[in-house]
């Protein structure tokens, strides 16, 4: 790898590391919110809401298409 490409690679990796740290913070915040929601539910049967899950998955799918995010294919 050329020195120029190695420098570019290092910069990209730093950007990815920063993004990963931000994602972890977002996940932590989301987990805290989920715990608050769970506290409000009285019965175990209320915990899994299939209607809500499908709604969220469809919303993510639509946003992914809009942002041109494709499915990841394994390198293996």
């Amino acid at each position: 790898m050329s020195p120029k490409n190695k420098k570019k690679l290092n910069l990209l990796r730093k950007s990815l590391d920063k993004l990963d740290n931000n994602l972890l913070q977002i996940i932590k915040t989301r987990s805290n919110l989920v715990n608050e929601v769970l506290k409000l539910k009285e019965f175990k049967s209320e915990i899994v809401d299939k209607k809500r899950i499908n709604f969220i998955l469809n919303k993510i799918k639509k946003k992914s298409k809009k942002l041109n995010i494709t499915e990841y294919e394994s390198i293996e």
Side-chain angles (χ1 to χ4, degrees):
M1 181 181 307
S2 71
K4 185 179 177 182
N5 281 347
K6 192 167 186 172
K7 187 175 183 176
K8 260 186 171 176
L9 178 64
N10 286 332
L11 287 172
L12 287 169
R13 285 181 172 164
K14 282 183 182 183
S15 293
L16 285 168
D17 289 344
K18 185 176 179 180
L19 182 60
D20 287 343
N21 289 334
N22 289 335
L23 287 171
L24 284 172
Q25 186 58 48
I26 290 169
I27 290 169
K28 179 183 176 187
T29 302
R30 190 182 192 290
S31 293
N32 290 337
L33 290 170
V34 167
N35 285 332
E36 291 299 313
V37 167
L38 288 174
K39 288 177 188 175
L40 297 174
K41 296 190 175 190
E42 295 179 45
F43 306 104
K44 279 189 173 186
S45 62
E46 294 176 318
I47 294 175
V48 177
D49 184 345
K50 291 185 180 193
K51 215 179 201 183
R52 172 95 175 127
I53 292 170
N54 286 328
F55 172 77
I56 292 169
L57 290 175
N58 285 328
K59 188 167 64 168
I60 290 171
K61 188 174 181 180
K62 285 177 186 176
K63 284 184 180 183
S64 295
K65 282 184 178 182
K66 189 175 183 178
L67 295 171
N68 202 24
I69 298 172
T70 58
E71 289 185 37
Y72 174 77
E73 292 185 26
S74 177
I75 297 173
E76 298 175 322

